[in-house]
């Protein structure tokens, strides 16, 4: 079987690798000059290792398999022990968030009213399943406004670049919606389902996460970089040709795999799938700006003894959140400095992400001074801005039509594996990559 994969990010590369392992001939077409997509690592000559996209990964079974098969297990880097501590800004200062539900009742982070609301969740009956219920409506209904404001909102903003008033709980957190339906109470269901389950390890790779995509790319003999696909053209026998910019058509291919964001995939679809193209084009990707800042350790009063700090919308922040990168991985900056990775933007802060560099960096430094006790007058040793005009696809009401379109396209041999289809987490994408590769390879053997 001859398969074309459009897009050379982590999901496209992983799909190609699994297909190749199953005996298929796979051609990967990537418009950019390098593979890896959003998984990008920069090595700065002053001693900084900067992640421009994902900063760490959950060690799922699919990721562990890839790392083992690619001989990368020796490169696994565990974060420092402080990574288990998570902070959320409240009252203008980072405060440690209770790490487990049972700790919430004894912490001063939440008010007595919020704690009582959490306890009452155990007795609240399940509401009828609603595929269009938002995350905000779900948590407000089951846990109350304060939990939504100070636990859910910063998490959704910092991890999903999203707005809980827009994202659908059934698409973003399907396991939570299922727990309510199965157990009546989310907390009861969580306790029963997670009993004895080990928490997934959080890891990086020595030298940065791009080592994973570089290793995958090295395994693929038909990786076409700087190659722009202009259209997917069906043939009379049910296969596909790819119209390539300034080159002869490629193919024919028995299957085409879209490992592209929706806005890039939609224009490529054949005219017969115009409705599917419109559904894909409607998916929203808010902007996100990443600001790396390094200070002398002596200029920072805060111990930075945790994973980082997320900021709820109610606090009117500049940044959605900041990772304390040098606390997690001390080799990412010189020993006498601290490295902070700050995220400005997402669905709740789109205008902030588009500020000019000088305004943005000044606002970030002012907020860092308030949150972390930066010595007055102290200047960063290093500061860099990197912009993603399209960051994370939003699983809001518009994703329903896009997912339906993807299901319809599969019946025509056009598969979707990107994060808008699989789920925004790397474990979700790697799971989807393996599943789709197995389905295509099974069809080849049938």
């Amino acid at each position: 079987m001859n398969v074309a994969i459009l897009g050379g990010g982590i999901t496209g590369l992983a799909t190609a690798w699994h297909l190749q392992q199953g005996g298929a001939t796979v051609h990967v077409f990537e418009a950019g000059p390098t593979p890896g997509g959003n998984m990008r690592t920069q090595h700065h000559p002053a001693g900084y290792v900067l992640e421009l996209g994902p900063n760490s990964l959950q060690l799922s079974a699919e990721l562990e398999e890839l790392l083992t098969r690619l001989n990368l297990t020796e490169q696994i880097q565990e974060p420092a022990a402080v990574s288990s501590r998570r902070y959320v800004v409240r009252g203008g200062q980072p405060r440690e968030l209770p790490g487990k539900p049972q700790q919430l009742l004894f912490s001063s982070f939440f008010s007595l009213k919020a704690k009582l609301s959490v306890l009452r969740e155990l007795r609240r009956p399940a509401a009828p399943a609603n595929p269009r219920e938002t995350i905000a409506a779900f948590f407000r209904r089951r846990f109350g406004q304060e939990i939504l404001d100070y636990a859910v909102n910063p998490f959704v903003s910092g991890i999903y670049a999203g707005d809980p008033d827009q994202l659908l709980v059934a698409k973003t957190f399907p396991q939570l919606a299922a727990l309510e339906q199965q157990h009546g109470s989310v907390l009861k269901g969580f306790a029963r389902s997670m009993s004895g389950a080990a928490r997934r390890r959080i890891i990086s790779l020595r030298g940065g996460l791009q080592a994973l995509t570089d290793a995958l790319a090295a395994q693929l003999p038909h990786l076409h970089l700087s190659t722009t696909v202009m259209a997917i053209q069906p043939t009379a026998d049910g296969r596909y040709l790819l119209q390539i910019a300034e080159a002869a058509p490629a193919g024919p291919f028995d299957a085409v795999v879209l490992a592209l964001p929706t806005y890039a995939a939609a224009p490529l679809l054949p005219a017969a799938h115009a409705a599917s193209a419109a559904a894909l084009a409607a998916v929203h990707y808010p902007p996100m700006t990443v600001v790396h800042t390094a200070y002398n350790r002596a200029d920072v009063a805060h111990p930075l003894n945790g994973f980082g700090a997320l900021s709820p919308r109610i606090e009117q922040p500049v940044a959605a959140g900041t990772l304390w990168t040098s606390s997690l991985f001390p080799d990412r900056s010189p020993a006498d400095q601290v490295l902070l990775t700050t995220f400005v933007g997402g669905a709740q802060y789109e205008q902030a992400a588009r500020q000019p560099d000088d305004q943005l960096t000044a606002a970030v430094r002012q907020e860092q001074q308030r949150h972390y006790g930066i010595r007055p007058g102290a200047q960063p040793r290093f500061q860099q801005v990197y912009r993603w005009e399209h960051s994370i696809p939003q699983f809001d009401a518009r994703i329903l039509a896009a997912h339906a379109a993807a299901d319809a396209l599969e019946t025509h041999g056009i598969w979707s594996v990107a994060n808008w289809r699989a789920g925004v987490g790397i474990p979700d994408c790697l799971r989807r990559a393996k599943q789709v590769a197995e389905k295509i390879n099974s069809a080849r053997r049938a």
Side-chain angles (χ1 to χ4, degrees), residues 249-279:
F253 297 100
D254 301 290
V256 174
V257 179
L258 301 176
L260 295 169
T262 57
Y263 56 83
L268 308 182
L269 294 177
H273 302 296
S276 293

Side-chain angles (χ1 to χ4, degrees), residues 84-427:
S84 62
R85 305 177 70 175
R86 310 297 174 102
Y87 287 74
V88 168
V89 174
R90 182 157 191 172
Q93 294 298 317
R95 296 181 59 188
E96 188 171 358
L97 192 68
K100 298 178 181 179
Q102 60 267 32
Q103 294 174 344
L104 182 151
L105 300 176
F106 303 100
S107 166
S108 63
F109 188 93
F110 291 107
S111 70
L112 177 60
K113 180 180 178 180
K115 295 174 184 178
L116 291 174
S117 183
V118 170
L119 288 174
R120 293 190 189 104
E121 195 278 338
L122 295 166
R123 294 187 175 184
R124 289 191 179 101
N130 177 6
R132 290 184 174 270
E133 184 173 35
T134 66
I135 293 173
F138 178 87
F139 276 91
R140 191 181 290 116
R141 174 170 60 80
R142 295 215 62 88
F143 294 97
Q145 187 67 42
E146 187 177 341
I147 298 297
L148 171 62
D149 285 340
Y150 280 101
V152 179
N153 181 282
F155 177 80
V156 168
S157 177
I159 306 301
Y160 295 87
D163 182 348
D165 285 305
Q166 299 297 322
L167 298 187
L168 304 180
V169 68
K171 286 294 185 179
T172 312
F173 301 132
Q175 67 278 17
L176 293 185
L179 288 177
E180 180 186 25
Q181 296 303 311
Q182 294 167 10
H183 302 279
S185 160
V186 173
L187 291 179
K188 286 180 181 177
F190 186 79
R192 292 168 184 168
S193 63
M194 297 301 293
S195 178
R199 187 173 182 176
R200 279 184 182 172
R201 292 160 59 194
I202 301 294
I203 66 161
S204 182
L205 297 175
R206 299 191 187 283
L209 293 177
Q210 191 177 320
L212 172 57
T213 50
D214 286 348
L216 278 170
Q219 297 289 316
L220 305 175
H222 306 298
L223 174 60
H224 309 280
L225 301 176
S226 300
T227 303
T228 301
V229 176
M230 305 299 292
I232 302 168
Q233 178 181 341
T235 63
D237 60 358
R239 295 187 291 176
Y240 293 98
L241 294 174
L242 300 182
Q243 298 298 325
I244 307 295
E246 300 178 357
F253 297 100
D254 301 290
V256 174
V257 179
L258 301 176
L260 295 169
T262 57
Y263 56 83
L268 308 182
L269 294 177
H273 302 296
S276 293
L280 266 59
V283 175
H284 181 46
Y285 290 73
M288 179 67 72
T289 301
V290 184
V291 182
H292 292 98
T293 313
Y295 293 96
N296 288 325
R297 172 69 265 191
D299 290 335
V300 182
H302 196 286
L304 302 178
N305 55 341
F307 199 93
L310 298 173
S311 295
R313 178 167 53 188
I314 197 171
E315 293 281 327
Q316 298 182 315
V318 172
T322 295
L323 296 179
W324 302 341
T325 303
S326 55
S327 296
L328 303 176
F329 305 109
D331 62 345
R332 301 296 167 95
S333 70
D336 61 345
Q337 297 178 37
V338 298
L339 178 63
L340 306 175
T341 304
T342 299
F343 301 90
V344 181
Q348 298 184 73
Y349 314 106
E350 295 198 25
Q351 291 184 346
R354 295 191 172 107
Q355 293 180 82
D357 284 7
D358 56 347
Q359 295 180 24
L360 181 65
T361 53
V364 166
R365 290 195 300 270
Q366 289 173 7
E367 189 165 83
Q368 290 171 342
Q369 187 172 31
R370 293 194 303 271
H371 289 174
Y372 307 125
I374 309 296
R375 182 177 58 81
Q379 294 299 310
R381 293 287 299 272
F382 169 83
Q383 193 164 44
Q384 173 181 289
V385 173
Y386 191 87
R387 297 180 182 274
W388 297 99
E389 180 57 31
H390 302 95
S391 62
I392 297 175
Q394 297 300 288
F395 280 32
D396 54 24
R398 289 167 285 195
I399 206 69
L400 297 173
H403 285 177
D407 291 340
L409 289 169
E410 283 184 17
T411 65
H412 297 276
I414 300 176
W415 300 78
S416 301
V417 297
N419 59 0
W420 63 267
R421 185 67 183 95
V424 302
I426 298 296

